[in-house]
Amino acid sequence: MSSIDLSKLTAAETTEAREPAAADVAKQVTAANVEALMTKLKAELADKGKKATNNRAGALCAMRKMMETAAAISEPYLVADLPLILEASSDKMKPVSIEADGLAKGLVNALSAQGVRAVLPAILADGDGKSQTNLLRAELLSILAKKAPAQMSRCLTDAVPVLSGLMWDVKAQVKEAATKAITDVFACDTNTDIKEFVPEVITCILKPEHVPETVHKLAGVVFVQEVFGSSLALMAPLLKRGLDEPVTATKRNCARIIENMAKL
């Protein structure tokens, strides 16, 4: 079995030259050679030198093309290497970060609904904490929420704390993306009893001074639908803050909400 030649791919200095070279590599992928090819591409990606910028960008571009033309063969390897792709999104060299961003979004968009749990650990992990990576993480969670709401609803207990933290990021772009993502993620919950209060719950994350008023409103809700984990993921942070409030009336309202939910 002959090895796939990467010389044209790694020598490409522009997007125009890189795209066809990457497509040529992807066309040669088979179940027999995909593991060896991924090993070579990851070796190129591991070279962080400035002179290896084209190598890293080419490797990421080839991975994206593999996902586009041979998804069934490539997906398991790319999902496993998602942490490396996310790390590359904050590469100091623009061609590399752009390719990493496109690859991550392409992978998540093409992912089957059953693959949501496979990619979440990498997306939810703190990583290096760089703003470009955090922005991408928030955008990927938005994609997953819209693509596979049923699967994401079961993962809200993991996703909500991460997005709540990103909403306090120092970068405005990250805060905006995280706020959109948590809105998309909360939309995965199907409990109509609390649906209308979701915008206020999100506001409370950024503006804790709104907690007493929001808790007061929710205390009057009569829950008629079953309360699943997705609803608890939405309500728990608010109730925790409400119970930490010094005002007794707010604590009492939180207790009333918990009682109303528990009755079901």
Side-chain angles (χ1 to χ4, degrees):
M1 181 177 63
S2 59
S3 176
I4 297 177
D5 183 19
L6 301 181
S7 58
K8 287 185 179 180
L9 177 67
T10 55
E13 297 183 356
T14 64
T15 303
E16 290 74 17
R18 192 177 297 121
E19 287 282 332
D24 185 58
V25 169
K27 288 176 185 176
Q28 302 176 62
V29 175
T30 65
N33 67 16
V34 63
E35 185 172 0
L37 175 59
M38 282 300 297
T39 300
K40 290 178 67 175
L41 292 175
K42 284 193 291 182
E44 299 291 351
L45 194 56
D47 187 345
K48 304 299 184 183
K50 187 175 181 179
K51 292 182 178 179
T53 298
N54 293 331
N55 300 57
R56 297 196 301 280
L60 292 164
C61 187
M63 291 178 187
R64 175 168 54 82
K65 290 296 184 181
M66 288 166 61
M67 193 64 204
E68 293 172 2
T69 60
I73 298 172
S74 307
E75 183 180 297
Y77 294 93
L78 293 173
V79 167
D81 291 326
L82 185 54
L84 297 176
I85 299 167
L86 291 172
E87 181 186 353
S89 69
S90 59
D91 196 289
K92 292 180 180 179
M93 307 307 292
K94 202 70 174 175
V96 180
S97 62
I98 290 173
E99 288 292 352
D101 185 272
L103 170 57
K105 290 175 181 174
L107 172 60
V108 170
N109 270 310
L111 195 69
S112 61
Q114 289 69 32
V116 169
R117 283 191 180 275
V119 298
L120 270 184
I123 297 172
L124 297 178
D126 283 339
D128 56 16
K130 292 182 179 178
S131 60
Q132 284 173 286
T133 303
N134 286 340
L135 175 61
L136 178 58
R137 290 166 65 207
E139 290 173 340
L140 293 179
L141 288 170
S142 277
I143 293 171
L144 287 173
K146 293 176 181 179
K147 178 181 176 62
Q151 286 73 19
M152 276 299 293
S153 69
R154 302 186 184 99
C155 305
L156 260 61
T157 50
D158 297 318
V160 170
V162 172
L163 286 170
S164 296
L166 290 178
M167 287 172 68
W168 284 88
D169 195 277
V170 294
K171 294 286 187 180
Q173 197 175 5
V174 176
K175 290 179 69 172
E176 184 179 341
T179 302
K180 180 182 181 303
I182 207 166
T183 302
D184 293 336
V185 164
F186 278 161
C188 297
D189 178 51
T190 57
N191 191 311
T192 56
D193 296 332
I194 57 178
K195 207 79 170 175
E196 65 179 284
F197 297 100
V198 168
E200 293 178 72
V201 172
I202 294 172
T203 297
C204 288
I205 296 173
L206 286 174
K207 299 178 180 178
E209 63 271 20
H210 289 249
V211 168
E213 182 183 352
T214 303
V215 166
H216 177 71
K217 291 178 181 178
L218 279 164
V221 174
V222 177
F223 289 89
V224 295
Q225 288 195 316
E226 286 187 88
V227 179
F228 293 105
S230 56
S231 301
L232 291 176
L234 194 160
M235 295 289 289
L238 175 68
L239 294 173
K240 171 65 169 63
R241 285 191 172 184
L243 291 169
D244 287 340
E245 286 285 318
V247 181
T248 302
T250 303
K251 296 179 188 288
R252 188 182 297 117
N253 281 330
C254 287
R256 185 176 294 118
I257 294 168
I258 295 168
E259 179 186 14
N260 290 341
M261 291 193 295
K263 285 178 181 178
L264 293 173

